Amino acid sequence: MQDLIDKLELAFTVNGERVSVRVAPQATLLEVLREDLELTGTKYGCGEGECGACSVILDGKVVNSCLVLALECEGSEILTVEGLTANGRLHPIQKAFVDHGAVQCGFCTPGMIMASYALLEENPSPTEDEVKRALEGNLCRCTGYRKIVDAVLSLARGGASDA
Amino acid sequence: MAAIRKYWAPETLKEALHVLAAKDAAPLAGGTDLVSRWTKGLAARPKIVVDLKHVAGLRGVRRRNGSIRIGACTPLSEIAADATIRYFEAPVLAKAADRVACPQIRNRATIGGNLCNASPAADTAIPLILLDAVLWLTSCGPNGIWTREVPITEFFRGPGLTIRRTGEILTQIQFKLQPEDAFIAWDKFGTRRAMEIAIASVGVALWVEGGVVVDARVGYGSVAPVPLRGRQAEAQLVGKLLSSEVIGKCVDAAREEIAPITDVRASEAYRREVVGVMLRRMLERARPDRQT
Amino acid sequence: MPEPASDVAVEPGTEKKTLIGKRIPKLDAPEKATGLARYLEDLKLPRMLYGKILFAGRPHARILDIDTSAAKAMSGVRAVITASDIELVPFGYGRDNTALKKDKVTCVRDEVAAVAADTPQIAAQAIERIRVTYEDLPVVTSPEEALADGAPIIHSKVPDNTPFRYDYSHGDVERGIRESDVIVEDTYCLQRVAHCCLGTSGIIADFDAQGRLTVHSLTQVPFLYKHDLSRIVGIAPEKIRIIQPPIGGGFGSKLDVHPFEPICVFLARKTSRPVRLVFTREEEFLATPTRQPMVIHLKSGARKDGTFTFRDVGMTLDNGGHTSWGATTPWISMRTFSSLYRVPHVRQHVDVIYTNNIYACAFRGYGNPQATFALESQVDQLAAELGMDPLEIRLRNANQPGETTGQGMVLSTCGLKECLETAARNAGWKEKQSAVSGQRSALGATAKPPDRQSSIANHQSSVVRGIGMACLFHVGGGAKIYRSDGCGTMLKLDDFGGVTVLTGSSEIGQGSETVIAQMVAQELGLPLKNIQVINNDTSLTPWDVGVHASRTTFVAGNSAFRAAREARGKLLNAAAARLKKKPEELDLVEGNVVERPSGEPLESIGKIIRGLHFGRARNELIMTTHFYEPPSTPPDEKHMGNISPCYAFGTHVAEVEVDLDTGVVKVLKMCAAHDVGRVINRLGIEGQVEGGIAQGIGYCLCEELKVEAARVLNPTFTDYKLVTTTDLPELNISFVETRDPAGPYGAKGIGESPLIPVAPAIANAVFNATGVRITELPLTPERVLMKLNQARADRATSGDSPSTDAKRRKKG
């Protein structure tokens, strides 16, 4: 029975804030972010790591949060899409997505943005091929990817084209 | 469906082995195969999950006595980026690690998990077969911690099945440094470039002297119950000059010795066809006298 | 009687100030990019329960008993319902579906029971404890089986398993046959594909203390939905409110009331608590109807100068276990067969047949992608038979503006010729054609595809390139599928120049909200940031028939633009009175009343508004309304009629590479030219085309929801392949602006068009590269290789030049 399972304490940092929650041992990071912390920006798309909609940054690496047990994140640092906005101002990646028309229904957008963030942290001047590879695990059904790739390229240091 | 009740993250191998000795305890590495199966109810959840990622000594790439030793909990993205592997000692292993799924998966999935999950399509298995890798299986015996070394070709028993016993942890993957002039190639084939479980994958390692093949290793993925070493194909190459005719016979032997199935991804006939094409193309590239 | 739209808001010399044609970021993009947009699954209501459905899991069976006792006994389960607990009102286009199934199930995804529980986990466990006793019945897996002697009757009201037949004709096909110098005949098989919206289906149902129902729904057609739902759940429509949160994709999947929706309402009613029911991805694949699979038999002819003479179409549709919009897609297929290019004689017969397979609903293109694949493959074949350039044959038969087609469609504007020429030019059509013939002679003129021995021996590249084209013809402003195809707008200005636009049309991610705001801002000369669009609450907004048939820019745009124009008139009159000028001497630009033609600002618009509101002599608020009904006519019983006020045209040219040894097809480049009347939001319209191309590539090369023995084999993203970033080809997109007189600022619809010609353009390019025509989708590497090998084998036995599957007959 669900109620009889002991929830375990989990302490970690999310978007710069120390957080402490009690979670069921089998709860995924995605569930805890969305349900316990009500950070609903990270999306459920498939629950099996095939679509990238649940992408977050875990200890500096982009991962599918649906494939991570919450308890694996004890002491870890998580960054979600909500953590990119500061004082109501859009992060440059978010602004680039908006300005380049890279958002249609928007459901894939948080995952795309986190995967893009991870890329640019590691490689501030990616080529188009490198951008595509970095986003190859993020599915989009609306945009056909072109403007998403353009948005990320516009942020490449050394000023890539403004498509 | 039973629930997970306890989660341990031991920091030493001894502690990990001790907890894993309990009933209903199972190891967790990257989780990219296990977690969704648990969530969807496709695999029984263990009562106790033992997270191996914090165990000292299980992560990293090291040179040791003329060999490369890779910790089983090394994420695939780390292997793909490791300079020693990628540029010097085992580019095919870096390539295979880099072609798994996508960055999100590669950042979590470990080489040990990829092998222990034992899909016939496991991308890192064929390069390791080409490298003649040896796997370290560690357990806690009456005399303390003990490791047995198993050649990779003996590790897999069937789809999802390995010779790893309950209570054993795969700790290291080791292979000898390769001579510089070996020709080693690997590729995987699917309907699209990314996010693919291979319809077929093929690897070839050749040592050629004066145009004659002195040693060869061939491996196939997704076309047998296990990642398969292609001994019949190898037999067609060793001691021969790498000519079109020899390549043709090798391809015929390969098509004979694999045992592909028809499933939702591809038919048996197509897999056989594709293995032949990939193998032929690789061997053609290895010919010293080929026209460009 | 609708007034003609006009363009006066964009004056020469003021182009830089106009919003029309500019690149405008979507109004809701910041919410979505920050993760703050609240989709349905992000919403929680107090005391909300979680619903889950038990699906049959078997394709054809009588339900003997359902034992819900174990589920009901579980802690945290608040309701368990079956068909016996609800009133069963038949719904769906064929009135052959009910929310829960009572006597039998007719496909694997039939809904048999449902629970509401405290958590989704408890709900999932409860579902597993419901015990259903079935008596399996023989399973019908294809239309052929359904029509065979002694076939089981799937729905008792339709003993021959054929709920619908359609027939259409114009001209005289027999005469067309006689007039043909070349005739081609072939069968085309179009597969099931899934919408794969990134956001899965879901609903929240919530009753208030007075029994009024609020539904948070993903519907694309809120007003029709409300009407249908009212009937199904037995609640008066005025007591139902539909609220539409942002959706994670539509593409036609949300034009129905799906069974899970009334199920959720019943759970909410039974528990007196809000209930949220959201599909997992697997449930989404299993229980969202697909695109309509089709088998199309097409025979067509041409004279030796390339003019088309006739088309004879037979279509067999697998209707699955229940009827949804898929059964009506042939009506749109018909429109392409009858009217894409000029063709004097056309006949079409369609049989729609029940099986125990999963069923089909609407999906972007609505029967047109299927029809266009067949037609454009065959046009290409006719060109090949005649030795004509595929571009030439299309230009020769291109529709012209002002024509009325054989099916009664009036082509007020038609940029087909320009689209053909533009796409061909951008793709380097002529140069690439000669490159391909060069490639052919290098491989031996009749030796395509080369056999393996010779290509190995000659160290020839086993990778060949080809180029192919296809055109589209589609409605550009709705298809008059309902008694009214209109949209209402209500508009109000506040004292400071803020504008609220209440539109009945919905935003489904396609950007209609932004286009409407653009048009209103343009008309009123106010900054875009002043415009707020409200479009997601049926208690507030006026009626709209819904987002489908590429109608929203045209119909909702016309409605909004006219409401804004009326408000503009009031502002100009008020300004004229205040400034002692004539209204025609004034204009509204960037928040000010300006003098024409100098553009000198005279007064802020805000002051004019406040002057009206707080005036001494009169007090007036500016509020306007407009209900726009497009000047189209519903089809008559012969399927004739001008169902849309305008029509979209376009051409795609695909450049591909084919690996002759593995069958892998790679799309290198897509050039698209679309007649859109007028570009309103350049950023948005490019996004529609790019997205449509990606969906089309998936449809052509790798997407298929595989059904075998009436069961779905691949209900996961692992094995249902969508294209990813690394599959993206080079794109070249152009727009032809034919300025439709009925369109707002001349605009026509484009929502569906970009998907329609992609598959045939690619397939024609594959033919160009290899000499092999493939008439089944998808063109997976395995299928392509099989067809290549077949062609090689055929050539080896017959010694002929490469044959195709087509039967050919030349007039003696």
Side-chain angles (χ1 to χ4, degrees):
Chain A
M1 283 293 116
Q2 199 68 25
D3 330 359
L4 300 179
I5 293 168
D6 285 334
K7 292 203 167 179
L8 301 180
E9 200 73 44
L10 168 66
F12 57 155
T13 304
V14 180
N15 297 334
E17 254 183 63
R18 288 279 298 165
V19 164
S20 185
V21 275
R22 298 182 59 76
V23 303
Q26 63 208 32
T28 62
L29 176 60
L30 177 64
E31 283 159 20
V32 169
L33 287 172
R34 286 182 53 78
E35 305 300 323
D36 297 83
L37 301 180
E38 295 185 314
L39 290 166
T40 56
T42 308
K43 302 300 179 203
Y44 164 89
C46 70
E48 51 181 2
E50 292 282 343
C51 74
C54 68
S55 303
V56 298
I57 311 295
L58 168 58
D59 294 328
K61 298 275 181 205
V62 67
V63 302
N64 290 319
S65 58
C66 69
L67 296 180
V68 177
L69 293 180
L71 288 176
E72 292 178 79
C73 303
E74 175 70 33
S76 287
E77 283 193 28
I78 316 265
L79 182 65
T80 72
V81 66
E82 292 95 335
L84 292 184
T85 323
N87 301 321
R89 299 189 72 217
L90 297 183
H91 187 279
I93 299 180
Q94 292 169 326
K95 184 163 193 313
F97 268 65
V98 170
D99 291 343
H100 281 80
V103 180
Q104 288 188 30
C105 85
F107 205 83
C108 75
T109 303
M112 285 286 182
I113 285 177
M114 299 322 285
S116 305
Y117 175 90
L119 168 70
L120 292 168
E121 287 290 295
E122 203 173 306
N123 179 1
S125 306
T127 62
E128 177 157 338
D129 269 346
E130 286 168 338
V131 172
K132 286 176 173 173
R133 282 224 75 207
L135 301 181
E136 66 188 358
N138 290 76
L139 296 179
C140 174
R141 198 49 160 160
C142 297
T143 68
Y145 304 107
R146 182 68 255 165
K147 293 191 182 321
I148 293 174
V149 172
D150 289 343
V152 179
L153 281 175
S154 76
L155 296 163
R157 220 193 298 146
S161 60
D162 201 275
Chain B
M1 161 68 58
I4 299 173
R5 289 180 177 275
K6 280 200 150 40
Y7 165 89
W8 286 104
E11 291 178 6
T12 66
L13 196 52
K14 187 166 171 196
E15 207 188 324
L17 289 167
H18 179 70
V19 182
L20 276 171
K23 212 161 66 95
D24 298 330
L28 172 70
T32 53
D33 289 312
L34 287 176
V35 172
S36 76
R37 278 198 233 139
W38 289 337
T39 313
K40 292 169 82 172
L42 295 175
R45 293 187 194 110
K47 261 222 198 82
I48 304 170
V49 164
V50 183
D51 186 350
L52 298 178
K53 293 192 285 296
H54 302 273
V55 173
L58 291 193
R59 183 170 172 164
V61 178
R62 279 174 279 271
R63 271 183 205 264
R64 282 273 191 284
N65 308 324
S67 292
I68 298 291
R69 194 182 296 169
I70 305 178
C73 281
T74 309
L76 295 175
S77 57
E78 222 168 277
I79 292 174
D82 184 273
T84 308
I85 305 245
R86 182 173 171 172
Y87 298 113
F88 298 106
E89 300 309 330
V92 283
L93 183 59
K95 179 180 178 186
D98 204 32
R99 288 282 300 275
V100 169
C102 62
Q104 290 89 331
I105 299 285
R106 296 193 286 268
N107 282 335
R108 295 290 286 178
T110 63
I111 187 167
N114 193 231
L115 296 172
C116 290
N117 186 51
S119 160
D123 287 308
T124 59
I126 301 306
L128 290 173
I129 285 177
L130 300 180
L131 295 163
D132 217 12
V134 160
L135 307 185
W136 291 18
L137 292 165
T138 305
S139 56
C140 217
N143 300 326
I145 295 180
W146 174 69
T147 295
R148 59 179 176 132
E149 291 184 21
V150 175
I152 186 161
T153 42
E154 291 170 30
F155 183 65
F156 303 104
R157 282 178 41 230
L161 297 171
T162 68
I163 61 161
R164 185 182 68 87
R165 300 181 195 122
T166 318
E168 266 186 329
I169 299 177
L170 172 62
T171 48
Q172 306 289 335
I173 295 104
Q174 183 162 290
F175 54 88
K176 293 200 173 56
L177 297 176
Q178 304 299 309
E180 268 178 34
D181 54 2
F183 171 90
I184 308 186
W186 171 89
D187 207 357
K188 91 188 223 191
F189 184 86
T191 0
R192 52 177 189 189
R193 210 198 156 283
M195 297 299 279
E196 274 298 90
I197 294 179
I199 284 175
S201 64
V202 172
V204 163
L206 295 179
W207 291 263
V208 179
E209 270 169 34
V212 174
V213 177
V214 298
D215 199 6
R217 279 180 220 131
V218 175
Y220 324 100
S222 302
V223 290
V226 298
L228 187 65
R229 172 109 184 236
R231 296 193 194 271
Q232 309 295 337
E234 291 166 8
Q236 293 294 329
L237 296 173
V238 176
K240 310 252 175 53
L241 270 164
L242 210 50
S243 67
S244 279
E245 207 196 328
V246 165
I247 290 175
K249 289 213 172 98
C250 178
V251 166
D252 289 339
R255 289 207 169 116
E256 279 297 301
E257 71 177 328
I258 57 179
I261 58 168
T262 295
D263 66 11
V264 72
R265 291 176 202 124
S267 72
E268 177 234 319
Y270 185 69
R271 287 185 152 114
R272 233 178 261 281
E273 184 86 28
V274 162
V275 164
V277 172
M278 291 172 78
L279 183 58
R280 175 170 55 78
R281 287 177 174 174
M282 273 177 207
L283 293 173
E284 287 289 334
R285 275 173 22 227
R287 287 174 67 180
D289 64 333
R290 73 188 183 285
Q291 290 175 10
T292 40
Chain C
M1 185 66 162
E3 323 101 62
S6 71
D7 231 352
V8 297
V10 187
E11 286 199 351
T14 64
E15 267 82 23
K16 65 173 167 11
K17 294 201 166 74
T18 180
L19 290 171
I20 304 302
K22 293 288 193 300
R23 311 178 82 84
I24 309 285
K26 269 172 109 255
L27 299 185
D28 60 358
E31 289 298 293
K32 291 172 172 175
T34 52
L36 296 179
R38 290 182 194 133
Y39 295 83
L40 189 130
E41 48 266 90
D42 304 329
L43 298 174
K44 261 190 204 155
L45 297 178
R47 303 194 76 232
M48 189 173 81
L49 297 172
Y50 299 85
K52 199 153 174 82
I53 293 174
L54 175 65
F55 296 98
R58 58 189 69 206
H60 198 198
R62 253 191 275 281
I63 300 173
L64 299 178
D65 181 65
I66 308 178
D67 180 1
T68 57
S69 51
K72 280 182 173 147
M74 274 184 68
S75 165
V77 171
R78 306 295 169 189
V80 183
I81 57 173
T82 67
S84 336
D85 298 303
I86 63 177
E87 183 162 334
L88 293 177
V89 176
F91 60 87
Y93 179 72
R95 290 281 194 265
D96 57 14
N97 209 350
T98 53
L100 289 163
K101 316 308 178 236
K102 189 173 175 64
D103 300 315
K104 64 186 280 200
V105 298
T106 54
C107 57
V108 290
R109 49 67 52 88
D110 270 357
E111 298 82 353
V112 172
V115 310
D118 291 348
T119 69
Q121 290 80 9
I122 295 174
Q125 285 166 29
I127 288 294
E128 284 173 14
R129 286 171 200 216
I130 299 175
R131 294 274 159 272
V132 186
T133 312
Y134 291 102
E135 179 196 321
D136 282 320
L137 298 168
V139 176
V140 175
T141 68
S142 69
E144 290 69 42
E145 281 179 22
L147 298 176
D149 280 334
I153 295 174
I154 292 167
H155 288 275
S156 53
K157 290 198 182 112
V158 187
D160 65 356
N161 285 334
T162 308
F164 308 102
R165 287 182 184 84
Y166 315 118
D167 282 286
Y168 168 81
S169 73
H170 76 251
D172 173 5
V173 163
E174 302 307 322
R175 179 174 148 197
I177 291 173
R178 289 193 297 274
E179 290 173 353
S180 305
D181 293 315
V182 64
I183 294 178
V184 177
E185 192 174 353
D186 221 328
T187 303
Y188 304 87
C189 298
L190 287 314
Q191 82 283 33
R192 283 182 184 83
V193 289
H195 302 74
C196 295
C197 300
L198 259 289
T200 58
S201 301
I203 181 176
I204 300 175
D206 181 24
F207 283 91
D208 73 6
Q210 297 172 68
R212 287 183 299 217
L213 171 65
T214 299
V215 172
H216 300 257
S217 166
L218 307 182
T219 181
Q220 298 175 221
V221 294
F223 294 91
L224 297 189
Y225 176 90
K226 181 169 98 150
H227 186 82
D228 276 345
L229 191 63
S230 140
R231 202 176 55 81
I232 299 167
V233 300
I235 297 172
E238 58 272 17
K239 291 177 74 169
I240 299 180
R241 177 182 184 191
I242 310 297
I243 295 181
Q244 296 164 272
I247 67 174
F251 314 116
S253 61
K254 297 158 168 79
L255 299 189
D256 303 50
V257 172
H258 294 288
F260 76 85
E261 297 172 299
I263 285 174
C264 189
V265 174
F266 293 131
L267 288 171
R269 185 151 66 187
K270 186 130 196 239
T271 57
S272 302
R273 288 168 70 168
V275 177
R276 186 176 86 190
L277 196 158
V278 176
F279 280 179
T280 64
R281 178 57 56 186
E282 193 178 344
E283 287 170 333
E284 184 75 14
F285 272 113
L286 288 172
T288 299
T290 64
R291 182 182 290 287
Q292 178 64 56
M294 290 186 182
V295 174
I296 300 177
H297 191 85
L298 175 64
K299 184 162 139 181
S300 64
R303 292 194 185 80
K304 55 177 175 295
D305 69 351
T307 50
F308 297 146
T309 48
F310 80 96
R311 289 172 195 152
D312 195 358
V313 187
M315 287 167 65
T316 308
L317 261 57
D318 181 338
N319 198 41
H322 296 282
T323 306
S324 169
W325 296 114
T328 63
T329 54
W331 300 342
I332 296 299
S333 307
M334 250 177 225
R335 300 268 161 188
T336 289
F337 286 124
S338 75
S339 303
L340 172 57
Y341 309 120
R342 296 159 155 175
V343 54
H345 312 288
V346 174
R347 176 171 66 200
Q348 177 167 336
H349 176 77
V350 182
D351 289 311
V352 178
I353 300 172
Y354 279 130
T355 65
N356 293 122
N357 290 327
I358 52 173
Y359 52 95
C361 66
F363 192 166
R364 197 173 190 180
Y366 207 94
N368 204 353
Q370 301 91 316
T372 303
F373 179 75
L375 182 61
E376 283 293 63
S377 297
Q378 199 153 105
V379 163
D380 209 59
Q381 191 60 27
L382 284 170
E385 299 297 325
L386 290 170
M388 265 183 98
D389 181 348
L391 170 63
E392 250 342 283
I393 200 173
R394 289 176 168 91
L395 284 170
R396 183 146 310 187
N397 293 281
N399 310 83
Q400 303 291 336
E403 285 177 352
T404 299
T405 76
Q407 201 168 357
M409 292 180 280
V410 179
L411 308 180
S412 49
T413 49
C414 168
L416 181 56
K417 185 161 169 293
E418 291 90 330
C419 289
L420 278 161
E421 287 166 347
T422 305
R425 185 177 54 246
N426 291 342
W429 178 263
K430 297 243 177 324
E431 302 78 49
K432 300 262 162 65
Q433 287 284 45
S434 32
V436 169
S437 355
Q439 174 185 268
R440 277 194 193 150
S441 35
L443 291 170
T446 56
K448 268 183 71 202
D451 61 80
R452 194 165 287 118
Q453 263 56 48
S454 66
S455 68
I456 293 174
N458 300 327
H459 295 288
Q460 278 158 356
S461 171
S462 56
V463 171
V464 291
R465 288 197 176 186
I467 190 166
M469 66 166 44
C471 293
L472 77 103
F473 164 70
H474 201 69
V475 294
K480 213 77 179 197
I481 53 128
Y482 197 67
R483 291 172 286 176
S484 163
D485 206 352
C487 176
T489 307
M490 300 190 297
L491 192 148
K492 71 175 179 82
L493 272 61
D494 71 16
D495 292 329
F496 302 96
V499 184
T500 304
V501 184
L502 290 98
T503 171
S505 68
S506 306
E507 167 66 41
I508 64 165
Q510 86 284 44
S512 63
E513 177 182 86
T514 307
V515 160
I516 285 169
Q518 253 177 288
M519 291 183 185
V520 170
Q522 181 65 32
E523 277 305 298
L524 297 178
L526 289 165
L528 197 59
K529 66 176 170 54
N530 284 28
I531 317 294
Q532 184 192 19
V533 179
I534 294 182
N535 56 7
N536 58 356
D537 185 336
T538 57
S539 295
L540 300 180
T541 57
W543 195 90
D544 173 63
V545 72
V547 174
H548 68 284
S550 304
R551 60 183 286 284
T552 303
T553 294
F554 184 93
V555 182
N558 259 321
S559 179
F561 148 78
R562 285 149 201 268
R565 172 135 306 176
E566 196 185 320
R568 175 191 167 85
K570 291 185 194 221
L571 278 173
L572 287 174
N573 287 339
R578 190 182 165 100
L579 299 167
K580 313 255 189 299
K581 288 199 179 282
K582 298 204 191 83
E584 51 275 23
E585 292 172 324
L586 301 172
D587 198 358
L588 303 174
V589 177
E590 287 180 348
N592 289 315
V593 180
V594 309
E595 184 183 53
R596 279 192 187 185
S598 69
E600 191 204 327
L602 300 175
E603 184 66 278
S604 81
I605 294 177
K607 266 231 171 85
I608 304 295
I609 297 172
R610 291 190 290 281
L612 267 181
H613 185 185
F614 305 118
R616 276 197 221 110
R618 259 175 64 205
N619 305 90
E620 191 183 324
L621 283 185
I622 299 189
M623 301 178 288
T624 62
T625 66
H626 194 92
F627 181 72
Y628 178 78
E629 182 70 49
S632 43
T633 50
D636 62 20
E637 64 287 346
K638 291 191 153 72
H639 304 284
M640 295 280 185
N642 190 30
I643 56 170
S644 193
C646 58
Y647 298 90
F649 294 88
T651 305
H652 284 201
V653 176
E655 210 180 308
V656 306
E657 198 175 76
V658 182
D659 184 325
L660 297 173
D661 290 334
T662 61
V664 171
V665 174
K666 197 168 153 199
V667 181
L668 301 172
K669 187 170 176 183
M670 284 295 285
C671 288
H674 282 271
D675 167 15
V676 298
R678 182 80 180 274
V679 172
I680 305 295
N681 183 348
R682 189 160 292 271
L683 206 56
I685 204 172
E686 284 173 359
Q688 287 299 291
V689 177
E690 290 157 3
I693 287 175
Q695 288 187 350
I697 291 175
Y699 185 52
C700 188
L701 296 182
C702 54
E703 287 184 44
E704 183 175 6
L705 195 64
K706 298 181 185 177
V707 175
E708 205 174 277
R711 288 174 189 277
V712 177
L713 299 183
N714 57 334
T716 66
F717 280 137
T718 311
D719 288 316
Y720 183 95
K721 313 269 184 206
L722 293 186
V723 300
T724 67
T725 46
T726 47
D727 303 304
L728 177 62
E730 188 189 332
L731 297 176
N732 178 300
I733 297 170
S734 293
F735 297 106
V736 170
E737 292 186 303
T738 50
R739 307 274 170 126
D740 197 279
Y745 299 96
K748 302 192 277 191
I750 191 172
E752 297 164 277
S753 298
L755 167 54
I756 293 166
V758 177
I762 294 173
N764 289 342
V766 170
F767 173 78
N768 183 253
T770 65
V772 176
R773 188 163 299 283
I774 304 173
T775 57
E776 276 172 65
L777 290 185
L779 267 55
T780 57
E782 181 162 353
R783 173 169 278 132
V784 172
L785 186 64
M786 183 176 72
K787 299 286 178 183
L788 289 173
N789 285 341
Q790 219 171 283
R792 288 175 177 127
D794 286 347
R795 188 177 58 251
T797 54
S798 71
D800 236 319
S801 55
S803 69
T804 69
D805 295 332
K807 292 179 225 124
R808 305 195 301 287
R809 179 161 60 87
K810 282 202 159 70
K811 193 151 183 217

